[in-house]
Amino acid sequence: MINSKLIIYSCLILTLSVAFGQSKKDFSWPNGAKAAVCLTYDDGLPSHIKTVVPALKKYNFKGTFYPTLASSSIYEDMDKWKALANNGHELGNHTVYHPCQKSAAGMDWVKPYHDLDNYTLDQISEEIKLANTMLMAIDGEKDRTFAYPCAHHIASGKSYRPFVASQFLSARDSSEAREALLELLDIDLNKVPSWAPNGHNAEALIGYIQNIIENETFSTFTFHGIGAEYLSVSKEDHEKMLKFLDANRDKIWVATFKQTTDYLASYKNSFPKKRE
Ligand SMILES: [Zn+2]
């Protein structure tokens, strides 16, 4: 009796010590990469079809596109958006009308009827659900990720983060994480950090990637126009960044937001709750 109890206790202690002893050292991304990065492209812009898709194809990378579904490019190039999804790129939810808080600094461009300050929680929830339906009509998928337009989440004074968390596995958040990358295990999958370049050159883009590799973590780029439109990065600098990623495939895993966050979620779920 004593012996069997001892055996049970010993097994328990061994199990707990193995579980709690788990650390980042036990983790690796696919192919043994030290870090992971997602290339995300927002707002459904014509340069995504014209420039980004051919560039990603050249290096065989898959990107994540967060189109604003009211964007004219979705209507005009519907066959190309469908083909892009069919070729393994991800289409994520970025709402239909891209509502942002007009009251925030630099947001004068927000149309009064797309002002998140005037949305109710029901209104934003309905819009997000409609975006899911429209995206499903384009790519046939049901499970999806989300990216907060303008990284805003307050509608009429209330956060819609709880609704997003109930509908999506993961969500891309802040655009100011360039200098302060999080530890892998501290990343909240409902607030995944991101950096949105704006006129930055290849050196800056590559520097960000090197920072992700050195910190052995995971982050995302939020791109808008490539060689066109707004918050843009030149076609040449974007291409140099892809070339750098291609040359460093052994160190950094480049995959869609859904692939990387699904992978991280399965790892975090295997972890005791001590850090969450
Ligand atoms: Zn956007």
Side-chain angles (χ1 to χ4, degrees), residues 148-167:
Y148 289 94
C150 306
H152 292 168
H153 62 99
I154 304 293
S156 299
K158 292 177 186 157
S159 176
Y160 71 88
R161 279 197 203 285
F163 175 76
V164 168
S166 74
Q167 302 290 311

Side-chain angles (χ1 to χ4, degrees), residues 41-44 66-68 94-95 98 100 109 147-151 172 222-224 230-231:
Y41 301 87
D42 282 24
D43 301 354
Y66 287 111
T68 303
H94 200 47
T95 75
H98 204 283
C100 297
W109 55 271
Y148 289 94
C150 306
R172 200 201 64 206
T222 297
F223 289 111
H224 292 82
Y230 50 86
L231 296 171

Side-chain angles (χ1 to χ4, degrees), residues 171 182 184-193 268:
L182 292 173
L184 192 60
L185 292 174
D186 292 333
I187 293 172
D188 178 345
L189 292 179
N190 292 304
K191 290 193 266 182
V192 174
K268 281 164 85 84

Side-chain angles (χ1 to χ4, degrees), residues 92 113 123 129 142 150 171 186 195 208 215 236 251 257:
Y113 46 90
Q123 204 179 340
K129 282 193 218 166
K142 269 197 166 173
C150 306
D186 292 333
W195 174 46
Y208 183 58
N215 284 278
E236 294 72 26
K251 298 190 187 78
F257 193 76

